[in-house]
């Protein structure tokens, strides 16, 4: 009986932990609003990764974002993915207040906010012949971002 109780408690704690770190889908409109708020004059390409430091209230530069992201996983595909998909944020201006005003749904309760401007599933399938690792990269990134305790992660789709 004790073992069953302990197993139930362990399962509940694992379940709570997994649910608290899930990726949150912003949707295309909210993603556009966010990017328009922080970098109105910059053209945005996707897939893209943007890392915002909610304590310093700045988007990390491409090299700093890559350095942070590289600490999150050790799979061989991870360095290639972070180098390709982390984008330049030199023209971004932001603050917690600005982001909260533009998108009240954003939670700035962790050290980092990560926006993964991902591709819709239909587009992933269409582009797969050009990059056979595309779906694998997308799945890996979603898995890693969905398990973070240090960051609140958002996707487009």
């Amino acid at each position: 009986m004790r073992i069953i109780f302990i197993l139930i408690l362990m399962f509940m704690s694992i379940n709570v932990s997994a649910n608290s770190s899930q990726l949150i889908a912003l949707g295309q409109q909210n993603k556009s609003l966010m990017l328009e708020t922080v970098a109105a004059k910059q053209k945005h390409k996707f897939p893209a990764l943007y890392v915002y430091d909610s304590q310093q209230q700045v988007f990390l530069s491409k090299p700093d974002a890559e350095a942070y992201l590289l600490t999150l996983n050790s799979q061989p595909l991870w360095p290639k993915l972070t180098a390709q998909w982390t984008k330049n944020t030199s023209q971004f201006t932001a603050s917690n207040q600005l982001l909260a005003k533009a998108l009240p749904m954003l939670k700035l309760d962790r050290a980092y906010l990560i926006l993964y401007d991902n591709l819709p599933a239909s587009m992933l399938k269409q582009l797969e012949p050009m990059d056979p690792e595309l779906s694998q990269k997308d799945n890996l990134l979603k898995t890693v971002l969905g398990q973070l305790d240090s960051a609140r992660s958002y996707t487009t789709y």
Side-chain angles (χ1 to χ4, degrees), residues 107-119:
K107 293 181 183 177
L108 299 164
D109 58 345
R110 297 195 184 163
Y112 299 100
L113 178 149
I114 299 174
L115 174 62
Y116 171 32
D117 188 6
N118 62 321
L119 302 164

Side-chain angles (χ1 to χ4, degrees), residues 13-123:
S13 68
I14 290 168
N15 194 28
V16 168
S17 176
N19 287 338
S20 66
S21 300
Q22 291 180 0
L23 288 172
I24 301 163
L26 285 178
Q28 178 64 35
Q29 183 177 357
N30 286 330
K31 183 261 323 195
S32 295
L33 180 59
M34 180 179 174
L35 292 176
E36 182 68 25
T37 300
V38 300
K41 296 178 182 178
Q42 184 171 336
K43 291 192 177 200
H44 303 283
K45 298 177 182 179
F46 57 92
L49 281 169
Y50 303 102
V51 181
Y52 176 75
D53 182 329
S54 61
Q55 295 168 345
Q56 298 297 315
Q57 299 191 39
V58 296
F59 276 89
L60 297 182
S61 66
K62 180 175 172 47
D64 289 343
E66 284 181 44
Y68 165 70
L69 292 167
L70 286 172
T71 67
L72 303 178
N73 195 279
S74 61
Q75 291 192 27
L77 189 57
W78 191 250
K80 183 177 177 181
L81 181 159
T82 58
Q84 289 175 340
W85 291 3
T86 304
K87 302 299 183 201
N88 181 14
T89 58
S90 62
Q91 295 180 16
F92 283 33
T93 56
S95 68
N96 291 355
Q97 183 179 7
L98 182 66
L99 289 171
K101 183 177 179 184
L103 285 173
M105 69 182 287
L106 292 178
K107 293 181 183 177
L108 299 164
D109 58 345
R110 297 195 184 163
Y112 299 100
L113 178 149
I114 299 174
L115 174 62
Y116 171 32
D117 188 6
N118 62 321
L119 302 164
S122 60
M123 192 177 286

